[in-house]
Amino acid sequence: MAADRERLDAAWTALAELGVTLADLQRDARPALPTFTDYLPLVLAAAGPGALRAYRSYWQRMTTAWGDLPIDTVTASDIQALQRRIVANARARRNSRGGRHAGELLIAAARAFYNQAIADGLVETADSPAHRVRKPRRLPSTRRALTPAELTEINQVARTTGNDTILDALLLRLHTETACRRAGALGLRLQDLDADRGLLQLREKGGTIRWQPISLDLATSLTQHAAARGAVLPGDALLRYRNGKP
């Protein structure tokens, strides 16, 4: 039976006197949201390998701090307070910048956490506390290229020390010629080497695949290395330890 106009007006008047809005009623009618402890496994399962490496420890710190709280009860101030604690307790290293990077990663991790909650329809974008916290401005990188003398010194040490100088020297030469990432080198297969044309197929970050020119001398060294250490099938790993293990 439809409510009549007078009753509706009286109800709205009573709610207005109590300071209750329609948004309040809608929010109270929603089921309770999961706590950080309950929701973290879902976030971990949905995250890719890169996100897990970068954010897992920060998600766990968030859960330690707010584990029993529903995810919609944490405020921007709570996230800023946790950020300050992480910055204050960041491990000091030679290239440390006073914990600035750790603080930046915490904000990025919190945003990724709430992005998943937004995608799952648990919170609205405007309600995400992580997106209301400003990320610290990134300082210019202190990275620089190695000088020729430094590169020569590194190669000299690699060729004369260690328990597998052949592999060490080959890896350094591979990275020097191709500038490939570590994963690109570790993922090389026998079929990725075109020794006749001096080409190497690299599979790297973000699923990118590229054919990289290399010197014929390096191509020959890689071919000999693979043959001597047991790479036979096209899908066999190219780089191997002395015992033949990839």
Side-chain angles (χ1 to χ4, degrees), residues 3-227:
D4 60 63
R5 185 73 259 173
E6 290 183 0
R7 288 183 178 181
L8 284 174
D9 290 342
W12 283 117
T13 299
L15 290 173
E17 291 175 352
L18 293 172
V20 178
T21 66
L22 179 59
D24 295 329
L25 295 175
Q26 291 173 331
R27 182 172 58 251
D28 293 340
R30 291 185 307 183
L33 294 186
T35 64
F36 279 85
T37 298
D38 293 335
Y39 193 56
L40 179 61
L42 300 179
V43 174
L44 293 174
L52 287 174
R53 283 194 302 271
Y55 302 145
R56 182 196 291 268
S57 64
Y58 293 94
W59 288 335
Q60 290 171 338
R61 293 188 195 187
M62 290 165 57
T63 303
T64 299
W66 311 314
D68 296 332
L69 298 177
I71 62 175
D72 63 337
T73 59
V74 167
T75 66
S77 295
D78 294 326
I79 295 176
Q80 288 173 315
L82 180 59
Q83 179 195 23
R84 286 193 292 271
R85 291 200 299 273
I86 287 176
V87 169
N89 296 324
R91 183 179 301 174
R93 295 185 174 91
R94 187 176 63 177
N95 62 345
S96 176
R97 293 188 168 190
R100 190 184 188 96
H101 184 58
E104 181 181 340
L105 274 177
L106 182 276
I107 302 303
R111 290 184 178 182
F113 185 96
Y114 277 96
N115 279 338
Q116 188 60 49
I118 292 168
D120 287 339
L122 298 177
V123 299
E124 298 293 333
T125 303
D127 295 331
S128 165
H131 292 78
R132 294 197 291 270
V133 178
R134 184 178 63 84
K135 289 179 69 174
R137 182 177 59 84
R138 180 167 295 184
L139 298 176
S141 175
T142 57
R143 292 182 178 182
R144 63 171 179 82
L146 293 170
T147 66
E150 289 170 335
L151 188 58
T152 298
E153 189 174 349
I154 290 170
N155 276 276
Q156 177 65 25
V157 172
R159 292 171 185 275
T160 56
T161 63
N163 57 12
D164 193 345
T165 56
I166 294 176
L167 178 60
D168 293 341
L170 191 60
L171 275 169
L172 276 173
R173 185 170 179 186
L174 171 65
H175 285 294
T176 301
E177 286 201 21
T178 67
C180 68
R181 293 173 176 268
R182 178 177 56 182
L186 295 178
L188 285 173
R189 304 161 301 181
L190 192 59
Q191 66 190 27
D192 295 325
L193 173 62
D194 185 341
D196 293 333
R197 293 189 293 174
L199 293 172
L200 204 57
Q201 182 174 239
L202 295 168
R203 302 183 305 282
E204 298 187 289
K205 186 176 181 179
T208 59
I209 300 177
R210 62 186 173 97
W211 282 97
Q212 172 67 41
I214 58 175
S215 66
L216 293 178
D217 190 36
L218 174 57
T220 299
S221 296
L222 287 170
T223 302
Q224 294 173 346
H225 169 86

